[in-house]
Amino acid sequence: PWMSASISPTAAPVFASAASTHNLDYHIGFIAVSELTPRFFPNIPLGQLLGTPAYLDNASSSTLQAEMESRLKLGSSTGKEWGLDAIKAALSAPFAGTVSATCTGCATPNQCVSGACRGPNWGFHRNDASLEIIVFTDEDDSSPNTSAAQAVAYLKSLVDPASGTHVRVHAVIPQGTTSCGQLALAWATIASQTGGDTGNLCATDYAPIMNSLA
């Protein structure tokens, strides 16, 4: 269920290069999509952004590739895929919202920001920014609390097309064969309904996929 080790070395340098080349004002975060705790990120609840700092931005530009690579090393998992629940949790309270109006008793992983206790993902999502979500998975989603239709509706509520912002979900999933996993019809549907791209997880060379997404 985690991003394949064969994808990781390809993804980090391609995206780091694109961020630099296009002079992007970016926030990049990583979450696991399995119900189980990532082997290399123990005790991380579903939806919490992985690593410290919680997300990477322009201040991380000199170490962006290395920081991305460290977050891509999740380890394997046999748990069910709860990606839709994870994405919604990552962008919602309590992870992305204000936990309390004061910093009294504000404990890690929450953070004290501007005199209030905020969730660990606070600051990642910006109302004036577009949202691009890239999912790597070898099976379809089985989130118990979020359907594909609910996920699309929720994600679209986070942006304002009239102001020029958009949300797209891109899915790198098994296509045309189950040699590398299960067909992921829910992710294919979500990608289509948000105008995102799909790539073949079973491909022998991920460079074209990574370059296209970047």
Side-chain angles (χ1 to χ4, degrees):
W2 307 129
M3 181 177 287
S4 165
S6 59
I7 295 179
S8 303
T10 308
V14 169
F15 279 92
S17 175
S20 174
T21 300
H22 299 293
N23 193 30
L24 301 178
D25 177 15
Y26 58 82
H27 285 182
I28 301 177
F30 296 82
I31 58 172
V33 296
S34 170
E35 61 177 317
L36 300 180
T37 296
R39 177 154 52 98
F40 296 119
F41 292 88
N43 303 317
I44 297 293
L46 191 74
Q48 183 175 324
L49 293 173
L50 305 176
T52 304
Y55 59 87
L56 307 173
D57 57 20
N58 296 75
S60 313
S61 59
S62 62
T63 58
L64 180 59
Q65 180 175 331
E67 290 287 355
M68 289 183 67
E69 288 175 347
S70 72
R71 288 160 172 75
L72 293 173
K73 296 176 181 177
L74 299 178
S76 60
S77 169
T78 56
K80 293 180 180 179
E81 299 268 326
W82 288 2
L84 298 180
D85 278 359
I87 290 172
K88 187 173 182 180
L91 298 167
S92 309
F95 288 127
T98 300
V99 178
S100 66
T102 70
C103 288
T104 303
C106 190
T108 304
N110 295 330
Q111 52 186 324
C112 180
V113 180
S114 301
C117 186
R118 323 282 188 176
N121 297 354
W122 173 265
F124 169 73
H125 174 61
R126 297 170 291 177
N127 293 331
D128 61 346
S130 293
L131 180 62
E132 305 277 354
I133 298 174
I134 304 174
V135 178
F136 295 86
T137 181
D138 59 5
E139 63 183 80
D140 214 353
D141 195 74
S142 57
S143 295
N145 300 310
T146 309
S147 67
Q150 289 171 328
V152 170
Y154 172 73
L155 291 172
K156 288 185 175 181
S157 75
L158 299 178
V159 295
D160 180 14
S163 66
T165 60
H166 61 260
V167 60
R168 292 183 294 201
V169 178
H170 312 280
V172 181
I173 53 180
Q175 292 183 346
T177 176
T178 55
S179 62
C180 66
Q182 305 169 9
L183 295 180
L185 300 180
W187 287 116
T189 298
I190 292 170
S192 175
Q193 292 181 354
T194 59
D197 295 328
T198 56
N200 190 359
L201 191 74
C202 303
T204 56
D205 180 8
Y206 288 116
I209 300 170
M210 294 301 100
N211 285 313
S212 175
L213 293 176

